[in-house]
Amino acid sequence: MDDRVGHRDPRVPEQRRPGSTEEPATLRFDVLGPVRARRGDERLATGSPQQRALLAALLLREGRTATAAELIDALWGEEPPSQALAAVRTYASRLRKVLDPGVLVSESGGYAVRVPAEGALDLAVAQEWAVEAEKARTAGDLSHAREVLNRTLGLWDGEALAGVPGPYAEAQRVRLEEWRLGLLESRLDMDLEQGCHAEAVSELTALTAAYPLRERLRELLMLALYRSGRQAEALAVYADTRRLLAEELGVDPRAGLRQLQHRILQADPELAEPSAPAAEPAMVRVRPAQLPATVPDFTGRSAFVRELSEVLAGAGDGTGAGGRVMAVSALAGIGGVGKTTLAVHVAHQARPAFPDGQLYVDLQGAGPRSAEPETVLGSFLRALGTADSAIPDSLEERAALYRSVLDGRRVLVLLDNAKDAAQIRPLLPGTEGCAALVTSRVRMVDLAGAHLVDLDVMSPEEALALFTRIVGEERVAAERKAALDVVAACGFLPLAIRIAASRLAARRTWTVSVLAAKLADERRRLDELQAGDLAVKATFELGYGALEPAQARAFRLLGLADGPDTSLAAAAAVLDLPTEDTEDVLESLVDTSLLESAAPGRYRFHDLVRLYARACADRDEPPGERGTALSRLLDFYLATAAGVYTIERPGDRTVVHLEPTSYRGLSFGERTQALDWLFAEAQCLLACARQQQSGSGLRRAVDLLWAAKDLAESGANAKQYEWAATALRDAAQDAADVRAESRARTALSNVQLAAGRYSEADQEARRAIELATAAHDATPVSWAATDRGIIALGQGRYEEAEKFLTTARDGYRADGNRPGEANALCNLSRLYERMNRPSDAVTLARQGVDIYQQLGLTLRLANGRYALGVALISAGRLSDGLVQLSDALEMFGSNRQRLWEGTTHFRIAQLHLADRRPAQAAQHAEQALAIGFIGGDLIRGGVLTALGRSLHALGQSDRARACWHEALSHLERSGAPEAAEVRRLLAPLDAS
């Protein structure tokens, strides 16, 4: 396994080309690492180093014949042995016996290797994938290009041609390494183009240490640092590079590096973000006969326009895919999403492919009385030149005549606003060269052979462009932020944007901010979105009025929940229905386009549709049923989250002290499933908790935060968790509910502590202890005492820290909460490590780890191993400490605790520094900065201090100084005593 910088993917035994169908026993060769031959999983004996050198020389010629003289020169250069020719023949003979017949052949006095199948040589696969990546990049598909380059780089298994002697192998090693680095630089360049600058810094830091004279890597590092908000470090990289090049080579940095430094100094705005993708080419509009006029301000939808145009063009010229004689494209989407506008626009563009005419009809499918197919056929037949007297009466006869009239013609039929597939089947042409374009609020899943297109709302960029085209560039440019607020309030729905923009365009005294303020009030938003005969609410009323009673009830109740979407299980709780019945009614709402299927088993409303659903609930649903539905949802989340907590923390008695629930939750067979659910439901769960700020749901909402504590510690949802905890704390205070307030403050203290906001966290924890004591609620006392002890530890108040942590330990013991006791022991271990009592620190950490292991706790065991690793480092047992921290890092990763991952990377960086391995220390410190960590300013200052030490040891003193200056500001802000040490480090550098 290659552990060098830049190697990202583990090598797989059977590396195949995409779509490859070779049998497992196919002969394969590797040169991007040790030279190997493999037959399936069996590694073949390729002999001595010189024999492998012969095989490598032949493989790298890619099937071309190498003469004996060329092979001798490749193996021995200018001083071959006297029996060189005989040795070459012997090597070739031995290889023939190992390889399949016909692979190593003799011809024209030389030898050649005929690779038996495509993809059998790793170098050939790498070359093919590199070409594929370049094509994808040229086409603008950076995501695919990055993925392919990562696979390409993963083919390397250490140094190419490793251990192969001879001048030819040495030259090829240099070439292949240069190529690898070029591919790596290309992938890193694309990383930055896609905005992954923070993630790239760690890798680039390590690469520049490994390849200090490679200027392109330094240039990418400068750009990554600058885009990560680390301008001083970016400029320091340039200073280090200039000094290194002058000392080593006597040259200045190349022009590109100098220009980048100048642009950073000038704060060039184009450097701040990746370059924008090229604009889509403008579409040419056409004017066929029956089609309505296209709107003059048609905007965006370029991907859909291209997709539909290709389908229609294929039908018009007879080259439609799959041998279809007729193309049918059916667009489905919510009312107001722009189906008709898009269809008309595409139809106008397709006119050259349909010179025999274009037919159009509004089928009025969303209204109470949709158009009858026989009536539409009569109209179409007349438009095609059929006399009234020749038009039959029955639907079947009209449809047959319609198809006969279209035979041999190339006609496009636009069937707008269809009710269902049954309505449009008689209206479809049946001959080659014709096409039908259908729009409907219902997905035409039962329309055989149709090309289905689900039309979503506009992207923010498209929405702003449409708004600007209607309102005018000057007004929007002056208030761009307000314009973005307007299109966001419209939910990026084209109809809503058009109405809002038209209102503004007709009122010259209004500013964009005035309109934004009107739309900010959710209660009035739907009423504001009407202009003339256009109204968003009226569009939704048509769909709602057509619903069956069960559908309408589900529509109303599901709109009450605040989350971004709803899982099937959560929806079942809201509706109080079995899962199967819930799925049936939800899927029927999806078919009407009033609900969207966000992913398998997940559903969501468009923002404006949700407001309309709530208005319907206020109007049509009894108040008691609205509250009961949300109470069932809260019960579902609390019961399920408590189950996850129990799986994650066996033996932890916190769940015993939570509020009881009436509605059951989900059960999980294994912890991975439980964690998957928790993190998938995070935003919905926290939104549900925040929504329950009054009445009987308040205490359960607070306890839901306790049960979902992992969301705060992971860092992924810390902000939303804090908002919910703050809202519930204030609600409990207003309700004079002491128990709920103490628990909410405990949750708030926990998330503030993780963010390193010690003063706020200590204030909340102190008040939580007072309230919990008054309420005779012992559990928050132990939680809050733990937080206060950790805060005192971080601020150097060791006596107070010991008092609080001992209180927490005793409280957990009294409750029989073994995991809580283990946590307190590990925190006391960290305290004794800081007090220079390493032996006591190791002893307590081992006691905590022992408890976690007895209980089978995985996540908490990671915390224990972290504490033990830190204690072992303080005791000077670096190798033992690295084992513990590495185990903790893996456990934190598998439990999705990103902040603890970053914190562990920081401790590993400190360990490598102590062991005089600065390159590894720098890489781990950069990973900590990229991921994040527990502890805010204090730990960030420590990470930057460690990074500066590493860089200074690597000879990058300017960048080290930049790190230390930033570290000092963080440490001073947190009041940490470590600031004095950073000032000492800076003194000689600032004086020079």
Side-chain angles (χ1 to χ4, degrees):
M1 185 64 68
D2 182 5
D3 60 356
R4 294 179 311 156
V5 176
H7 185 82
R8 294 170 61 100
D9 297 321
R11 189 175 182 81
V12 293
E14 285 293 311
Q15 186 66 60
R16 301 184 183 184
R17 297 177 62 234
S20 175
T21 58
E22 289 89 356
E23 293 297 324
T26 298
L27 192 63
R28 299 182 182 279
F29 298 96
D30 301 328
V31 294
L32 300 178
V35 176
R36 302 189 186 105
R38 294 174 289 128
R39 186 180 292 108
D41 292 331
E42 177 192 5
R43 183 174 297 178
L44 305 180
T46 50
S48 66
Q50 284 79 11
Q51 190 168 304
R52 292 198 304 275
L54 175 70
L55 177 60
L58 294 174
L59 287 170
L60 290 172
R61 294 183 74 85
E62 299 179 358
R64 299 188 305 276
T65 300
T67 66
E70 289 173 331
L71 291 172
I72 290 171
D73 185 61
L75 268 64
W76 293 285
E78 297 179 357
E79 298 181 359
S82 58
Q83 299 298 315
L85 181 57
V88 167
R89 290 172 177 165
T90 300
Y91 298 153
S93 175
R94 291 173 180 169
L95 286 170
R96 272 202 195 94
K97 295 176 182 178
V98 174
L99 306 178
D100 292 345
V103 173
L104 198 160
V105 298
S106 303
E107 58 183 29
S108 304
Y111 300 94
V113 168
R114 307 291 190 225
V115 177
E118 287 188 40
L121 176 63
D122 61 353
L123 176 59
V125 174
Q127 290 169 335
E128 181 180 345
W129 285 351
V131 170
E132 180 185 344
E134 185 57 35
K135 287 180 180 177
R137 185 176 188 179
T138 302
D141 190 354
L142 295 186
S143 179
H144 180 62
R146 290 172 67 204
E147 186 269 329
V148 174
L149 274 186
N150 272 329
R151 278 193 281 126
T152 306
L153 291 164
L155 291 174
W156 264 263
D157 187 13
E159 182 182 53
L161 306 174
V164 175
Y168 179 77
E170 182 56 36
Q172 292 299 312
R173 258 193 300 274
V174 173
R175 177 182 72 84
L176 292 171
E177 177 64 2
E178 181 64 27
W179 184 48
R180 185 186 76 88
L181 288 172
L183 294 176
L184 186 56
E185 288 170 346
S186 180
R187 198 218 75 225
L188 286 161
D189 193 24
M190 286 186 282
D191 287 351
L192 299 190
E193 284 188 59
Q194 291 215 300
C196 301
H197 22 270
E199 297 87 341
V201 170
S202 173
E203 189 174 0
L204 283 164
T205 296
L207 283 166
T208 52
Y211 305 96
L213 297 177
R214 200 166 180 92
E215 291 183 66
R216 178 58 179 155
L217 291 174
R218 300 236 173 193
E219 185 177 339
L220 290 169
L221 176 58
M222 288 175 64
L223 186 57
L225 287 166
Y226 180 72
R227 287 182 178 168
S228 300
R230 298 160 68 179
Q231 179 179 357
E233 284 187 68
L235 293 171
V237 170
Y238 178 81
D240 285 328
T241 304
R242 182 178 59 184
R243 185 181 63 254
L244 180 67
L245 291 173
E247 292 173 353
E248 297 289 333
L249 304 177
V251 297
D252 289 328
R254 61 188 180 86
L257 208 58
R258 296 198 303 272
Q259 290 168 3
L260 179 59
Q261 183 226 17
H262 178 72
R263 294 176 69 187
I264 290 173
L265 287 170
Q266 298 298 316
D268 186 342
E270 293 184 6
L271 281 183
E273 293 295 337
S275 57
E280 293 287 339
M283 296 296 176
V284 180
R285 286 195 296 271
V286 293
R287 298 178 181 274
Q290 275 203 347
L291 295 175
T294 187
V295 294
D297 48 25
F298 183 87
T299 304
R301 305 298 200 190
S302 55
F304 290 111
V305 170
R306 184 165 54 250
E307 177 183 349
L308 292 168
S309 297
E310 288 173 356
V311 174
L312 294 181
D317 62 17
T319 63
R324 290 181 299 178
V325 297
M326 172 192 62
V328 180
S329 290
L331 285 76
I334 189 178
V337 82
K339 300 180 296 294
T340 299
T341 301
L342 174 61
V344 170
H345 181 77
V346 170
H348 273 286
Q349 291 209 108
R351 182 187 179 279
F354 301 96
D356 295 318
Q358 300 83 41
L359 299 171
Y360 171 83
V361 63
D362 179 358
L363 294 170
Q364 303 173 33
R369 296 185 61 184
S370 57
E372 296 293 336
E374 53 263 52
T375 304
V376 176
L377 283 171
S379 175
F380 280 177
L381 286 168
R382 293 185 192 95
L384 292 167
T386 307
D388 283 349
S389 59
I391 298 175
D393 292 331
S394 72
L395 172 62
E396 293 75 13
E397 289 177 313
R398 288 188 178 191
L401 178 59
Y402 171 63
R403 292 191 293 270
S404 298
V405 171
L406 290 178
D407 185 34
R409 299 190 186 187
R410 290 159 66 186
V411 174
L412 172 64
V413 183
L414 175 48
L415 304 172
D416 192 21
N417 197 13
K419 178 182 179 181
D420 52 29
Q423 184 189 29
I424 66 170
R425 283 195 188 98
L427 309 179
L428 298 177
T431 58
E432 182 178 359
C434 291
L437 193 56
V438 183
T439 74
S440 176
R441 299 189 182 198
V442 178
R443 296 189 78 243
M444 298 290 177
V445 292
D446 51 347
L447 191 61
H451 174 76
L452 302 181
V453 176
D454 292 322
L455 194 59
D456 202 351
V457 296
M458 287 180 147
S459 68
E461 295 77 13
E462 290 175 331
L464 184 61
L466 174 60
F467 185 78
T468 302
R469 293 191 68 171
I470 298 172
V471 173
E473 179 71 38
E474 184 177 349
R475 294 177 79 180
V476 174
E479 296 183 274
R480 180 178 172 83
K481 172 66 168 59
L484 288 169
D485 291 340
V486 168
V487 296
C490 292
F492 310 111
L493 188 73
L495 175 62
I497 295 167
R498 186 172 295 280
I499 291 172
S502 298
R503 290 190 70 196
L504 184 61
R507 294 163 173 79
R508 303 304 300 178
T509 59
W510 280 18
T511 63
V512 182
S513 299
V514 168
L515 178 60
K518 287 179 175 292
L519 295 178
D521 184 353
E522 290 188 353
R523 296 167 299 177
R524 292 280 305 159
R525 187 176 298 168
L526 289 175
D527 294 327
E528 293 288 347
L529 289 174
Q530 52 185 340
D533 61 351
L534 293 178
V536 172
K537 184 186 290 186
T539 301
F540 296 158
E541 283 282 3
L542 290 172
Y544 178 66
L547 296 179
E548 298 292 332
Q551 293 174 314
R553 173 181 179 269
F555 178 74
R556 295 190 298 268
L557 293 182
L558 287 176
L560 295 172
D562 274 351
D565 62 3
T566 305
S567 69
L568 180 58
V574 172
L575 302 179
D576 197 19
L577 291 174
T579 303
E580 295 79 6
D581 295 346
T582 302
E583 185 173 23
D584 289 343
V585 71
L586 264 56
E587 287 296 329
S588 70
L589 287 173
V590 170
D591 288 339
T592 67
S593 296
L594 285 172
L595 192 65
E596 301 172 19
S597 180
R602 300 199 73 85
Y603 302 87
R604 69 184 175 209
F605 284 105
H606 180 274
D607 290 346
L608 295 179
V609 178
R610 184 195 299 275
L611 292 179
Y612 176 71
R614 288 183 176 179
C616 291
D618 290 341
R619 182 188 66 198
D620 302 335
E621 205 69 48
E625 178 56 21
R626 297 199 300 268
T628 301
L630 289 177
S631 180
R632 286 194 299 267
L633 180 63
L634 177 60
D635 271 0
F636 165 76
Y637 279 132
L638 177 54
T640 309
V644 175
Y645 192 98
T646 301
I647 292 173
E648 272 292 282
R649 300 169 173 81
D652 192 321
R653 288 180 47 80
T654 298
V655 292
V656 176
H657 305 294
L658 300 181
E659 287 288 302
T661 57
S662 301
Y663 193 90
R664 66 190 179 281
L666 297 176
S667 301
F668 303 101
E670 58 178 25
R671 56 181 304 277
T672 302
Q673 292 177 337
L675 277 180
D676 286 343
W677 178 87
L678 181 64
F679 283 92
E681 290 290 331
Q683 293 188 54
C684 298
L685 180 153
L686 293 173
C688 178
R690 192 175 181 185
Q691 196 171 2
Q692 296 282 345
Q693 295 183 32
S694 61
S696 62
L698 177 58
R699 286 192 174 187
R700 281 177 290 152
V702 172
D703 282 358
L704 177 56
L705 294 184
W706 273 35
K709 183 181 180 183
D710 283 346
L711 297 178
E713 292 189 357
S714 73
N717 303 97
K719 279 292 183 187
Q720 297 94 320
Y721 189 98
E722 183 173 359
W723 293 337
T726 302
L728 293 172
R729 177 203 64 188
D730 294 344
Q733 193 170 16
D734 292 342
D737 189 332
V738 176
R739 180 181 183 279
E741 184 183 349
S742 71
R743 293 190 173 205
R745 287 184 182 275
T746 304
L748 191 55
S749 167
N750 191 250
V751 72
Q752 290 170 341
L753 174 59
R757 291 166 18 223
Y758 286 174
S759 177
E760 296 173 57
D762 195 46
Q763 183 177 345
E764 295 293 345
R766 178 184 57 77
R767 183 60 179 148
I769 291 174
E770 295 171 355
L771 292 169
T773 302
H776 305 291
D777 189 9
T779 305
V781 174
S782 299
W783 274 35
T786 299
D787 287 351
R788 295 205 74 188
I790 294 172
I791 293 166
L793 168 62
Q795 294 179 336
R797 297 181 284 113
Y798 298 147
E799 287 186 12
E800 289 182 61
E802 187 169 21
K803 181 187 73 172
F804 288 127
L805 294 175
T806 301
T807 298
R809 181 199 62 193
D810 294 344
Y812 287 127
R813 281 178 175 170
D815 189 38
N817 191 330
R818 295 278 284 159
E821 179 187 350
N823 179 52
L825 291 171
C826 290
N827 285 321
L828 282 167
S829 166
R830 291 166 58 192
L831 169 65
Y832 292 151
E833 176 263 324
R834 293 286 292 273
M835 295 173 68
N836 292 319
R837 293 166 57 182
S839 178
D840 292 337
V842 171
T843 299
L844 287 177
R846 285 200 185 280
Q847 291 176 8
V849 168
D850 288 344
I851 292 174
Y852 288 139
Q853 287 179 320
Q854 292 167 15
L855 295 171
L857 288 166
T858 304
L859 173 56
R860 296 307 121 192
L861 180 58
N863 292 112
R865 292 201 183 282
Y866 170 87
L868 181 54
V870 172
L872 289 167
I873 293 171
S874 71
R877 297 164 57 183
L878 300 185
S879 58
D880 292 339
L882 182 59
V883 169
Q884 296 296 328
L885 289 176
S886 298
D887 286 348
L889 185 64
E890 183 178 351
M891 291 178 184
F892 285 133
S894 65
N895 285 276
R896 284 165 272 195
Q897 294 294 318
R898 293 281 288 169
L899 295 183
W900 275 109
E901 270 191 89
T903 307
T904 308
H905 275 297
F906 164 49
R907 297 302 183 187
I908 294 175
Q910 289 183 314
L911 183 149
H912 283 307
L913 270 177
D915 213 19
R916 299 180 181 178
R917 294 195 295 267
Q920 292 93 325
Q923 190 169 11
H924 281 283
E926 283 291 2
Q927 285 179 286
L929 290 172
I931 293 172
F933 29 74
I934 299 284
D937 278 333
L938 175 63
I939 300 299
R940 187 173 188 85
V943 174
L944 287 165
T945 302
L947 178 58
R949 288 181 182 276
S950 306
L951 295 170
H952 192 265
L954 291 168
Q956 300 181 33
S957 56
D958 284 285
R959 192 177 162 201
R961 176 166 49 192
C963 287
W964 286 336
H965 274 294
E966 187 181 351
L968 183 60
S969 67
H970 287 290
L971 293 171
E972 287 178 338
R973 192 156 50 240
S974 66
E978 290 84 354
E981 174 63 14
V982 178
R983 292 190 196 95
R984 187 189 65 77
L985 292 170
L986 280 169
L989 293 178
D990 288 342
S992 61

